[in-house]
Amino acid sequence: MNPSPIVMTRKLHADVITDEVARLCMEANFDLGEDVLRALREALEKEESSIGKEILGLLMENAEIARTQRVPMCQDTGFAVVFLELGQDLSIVGGDLTEAINEGIRQGYREGYLRKSIVGHPFARVNTRDNTPAVIHTEIVPGDRLKITVAPKGGGSENMSTLAMLRPADGKEGVKRFVVRSVQEAGANACPPLVVGVGLGGTFEKAAYLSKKALIRRLGEGNTDPELHHLEEELLEEINNLGIGPLGFGGRVTALAVHIESYPCHITGLPVAVNLNCHAARHKEVTL
Amino acid sequence: MTTSIKLTPPLSDKDISDLRSGDRITISGVLYTARDAAHKRLVELLSKGEKLPFDLKGQIIYYVGPTPAKPGIVIGAAGPTTSYRMDPYTIPLLAGGLKGMIGKGHRSPEVKKAMEKYKAVYFAAVGGAGALLAKHITKSEIIAFEDLGPEAIRKIEVRNFPAIVVNDLYGNDLYEEGIKKYKR
């Protein structure tokens, strides 16, 4: 047998990760993505209600103030949700990856004057005062790069999110009914116009994860599976027919987009998760 | 922009009874901020018969937890938070003389009924427009529960702060009416 070859792995210092996470926390909160702004402009053309139009205009004006004055667009600067795509050939040196990310959150939320919205225990509810810990989702991928997406998630829309373990017999119609009902029950609470993330299939936790991951897809990019893309469009139409409108005062635009992410599932089940996001669909990414 | 009704707290029963669901209002003067954790404490104080950090009579509570102020500005982003979370604490405050609440989203049937009973209204501010709404806040001071951080009670002064009447004294609910009009 040959001796194991020496493999040179690429190295990335933990301090670089900290700096980048701090920057992404601020950028995500100050600078609403061009895709969302475009969707808001298109919504303004579709909207028929006068108050609905007025609100869409105010939301765009708000985004402009946030971007130019570098202040958060919303006072809820979110739970720091971090998606990692970690190349299997990359070696993190000089520190613990999780701690490097949390230190980035700490610095970003302090330097950006962002709100610290995390309590240390669900019952004791004492604020951790630095917005840590983050919620970190890691996927190991081929290659030697690290892609970091920081997606600050507001509590108002998160609270209105849902999950159901449907029966296979419920099928596509059952999924549609559940998604539309979830948006209807959220009503004005989740700050429409919404981005609706749907996780379809997998297991209980996989569906929830996919519904969150669906929220970081760029608006305007449909699912690559034509059947699922068609379902996204059908759902968007049904949701907009609910009449909830911008901020729930009635109108044509209740959602800007529906994104579905799917995964194979067990013969017994049809899990579906609905993660709602307000119009502030915030996420910024970097590849290191 | 529709003409709006100007309000300055403290509000009287007459001020409240003139308001109708869908009315645009602008508020100038003092508001008190409180959200989940502060509400819990306010209601605990009331149940023990202790004095509250501010007199509720005629006042408006704004459901907000602002971001920290950058140096040189009054307050950070300061838009409304979702109101239903305050429903479990609202009725004792209404009984104590609170006249208005500013938030976003739906209220419980019990709270709506209590608003009619105690003559109070519920306003919505523009959810998600925290940077914009902060421009209407001219002063901000923490007056209680500083340990709660963003959830501390602040006395804020506002100028032409825009809001809309959701629930009035006559059983109207702007959210229900809006949906009826546009549902297909």
Side-chain angles (χ1 to χ4, degrees), chain A residues 156-157 160 185-192 194 247-248, chain B residues 81-84 104-107 122 175:
Chain A
S157 53
M160 297 293 121
E185 285 173 3
N189 289 357
C191 275
L194 308 169
L247 294 184
Chain B
T81 194
T82 323
S83 307
Y84 78 96
K104 66 171 170 94
H106 309 269
R107 305 312 300 260
Y122 169 52
Y175 292 130

Side-chain angles (χ1 to χ4, degrees), chain A residues 62 69 75 115 129 189 252, chain B residues 65 79 106 132 135 147 182:
Chain A
N62 184 70
Q69 301 182 14
Q75 72 290 338
R115 195 178 78 184
R129 295 195 168 261
N189 289 357
R252 288 282 160 248
Chain B
H106 309 269
L132 185 71
K135 305 276 176 206
D147 62 300
Y182 289 95

Side-chain angles (χ1 to χ4, degrees), chain B residues 147-163:
Chain B
D147 62 300
L148 295 179
E151 298 202 69
I153 292 187
R154 289 168 171 80
K155 180 182 179 182
I156 61 172
E157 285 186 31
V158 295
R159 194 186 303 134
N160 298 325
F161 185 93

Side-chain angles (χ1 to χ4, degrees), chain B residues 69-160:
Chain B
K70 274 165 63 165
I73 63 169
V74 172
I75 199 164
T81 194
T82 323
S83 307
Y84 78 96
R85 297 194 315 271
M86 270 50 82
D87 286 348
Y89 306 113
T90 298
I91 294 172
L93 301 180
L94 293 172
L98 182 69
K99 283 289 167 204
M101 296 154 284
I102 307 171
K104 66 171 170 94
H106 309 269
R107 305 312 300 260
S108 69
E110 295 76 20
V111 166
K112 290 188 210 175
K113 220 156 80 191
M115 280 191 265
E116 291 177 36
K117 180 177 173 188
Y118 295 112
K119 293 200 177 348
V121 286
Y122 169 52
F123 306 103
V126 182
L132 185 71
L133 289 170
K135 305 276 176 206
H136 295 275
I137 300 174
T138 56
K139 230 175 175 178
S140 168
E141 175 197 359
I142 293 180
I143 59 161
F145 314 147
E146 192 160 8
D147 62 300
L148 295 179
E151 298 202 69
I153 292 187
R154 289 168 171 80
K155 180 182 179 182
I156 61 172
E157 285 186 31
V158 295
R159 194 186 303 134
N160 298 325

Side-chain angles (χ1 to χ4, degrees), chain A residues 155-225:
Chain A
S157 53
E158 192 74 358
N159 277 344
M160 297 293 121
S161 302
T162 54
L163 191 145
M165 303 304 282
L166 300 179
R167 296 169 302 179
D170 295 321
K172 200 190 282 183
E173 285 310 308
V175 168
K176 280 169 74 172
R177 269 197 305 276
F178 180 71
V179 174
V180 173
R181 198 178 71 216
S182 298
V183 174
Q184 185 167 26
E185 285 173 3
N189 289 357
C191 275
L194 308 169
V195 177
V196 180
V198 179
L200 184 62
T203 49
F204 184 83
E205 84 287 3
K206 183 75 174 182
Y209 167 68
L210 290 175
S211 70
K212 172 115 327 125
K213 198 179 170 191
L215 296 176
I216 61 170
R217 193 202 297 165
R218 280 180 65 78
L219 301 192
E221 282 176 13
N223 193 297
T224 49
D225 174 340

